Amino acid sequence: GRDKIDSPEKISAALEGAGFIDVHAESLEWFLRWDLHDFLLWRVRMGPSRRRLDQLRESTREEVVAKARAKVVALGGAGLVHRDEVVLASARTPG
């Protein structure tokens, strides 16, 4: 699971344990600022949101998307910012 590789130290140990050499790992901040249009397109076209919306009648789907849009607009700019941490690693095989 993810909990076994969610830090530079953990992923380095996993790679070294698997026989990799020259292991380098680091943690970086991931920052994404959405605009409203692209955020909503992403949510209605991808993943669980899309699958749930696909199960609705078209009129209901349009109503749900309109309500979601209004809620996201009410959040203001801060509601369209996604911050996270990512762990990056590189290594090579011996030989």
Side-chain angles (χ1 to χ4, degrees):
R2 183 177 183 194
D3 62 322
K4 295 181 178 161
I5 57 168
D6 63 358
S7 73
E9 297 78 20
K10 290 179 182 179
I11 198 165
S12 293
L15 289 167
E16 290 166 354
F20 288 90
I21 61 172
D22 296 333
V23 174
H24 173 76
E26 63 183 308
S27 176
L28 299 172
E29 180 184 23
W30 185 69
F31 177 87
L32 178 62
R33 182 179 302 278
W34 291 95
D35 67 40
L36 179 63
H37 175 76
D38 288 342
F39 175 78
L40 290 172
L41 277 178
W42 174 66
R43 295 300 293 184
V44 301
R45 291 184 177 175
M46 302 288 288
S49 301
R50 192 216 64 210
R51 290 189 295 274
R52 288 183 188 117
L53 289 169
D54 284 349
Q55 295 174 7
L56 302 174
R57 291 186 323 248
E58 185 174 347
S59 60
T60 303
R61 183 172 43 245
E62 290 171 0
E63 182 180 332
V64 167
V65 170
K67 286 181 181 180
R69 174 186 297 272
K71 287 184 178 190
V72 172
V73 167
L75 293 173
L80 293 170
V81 173
H82 184 150
R83 292 181 188 271
D84 206 344
E85 177 185 356
V86 295
V87 178
L88 307 173
S90 64
R92 63 183 188 89
T93 57

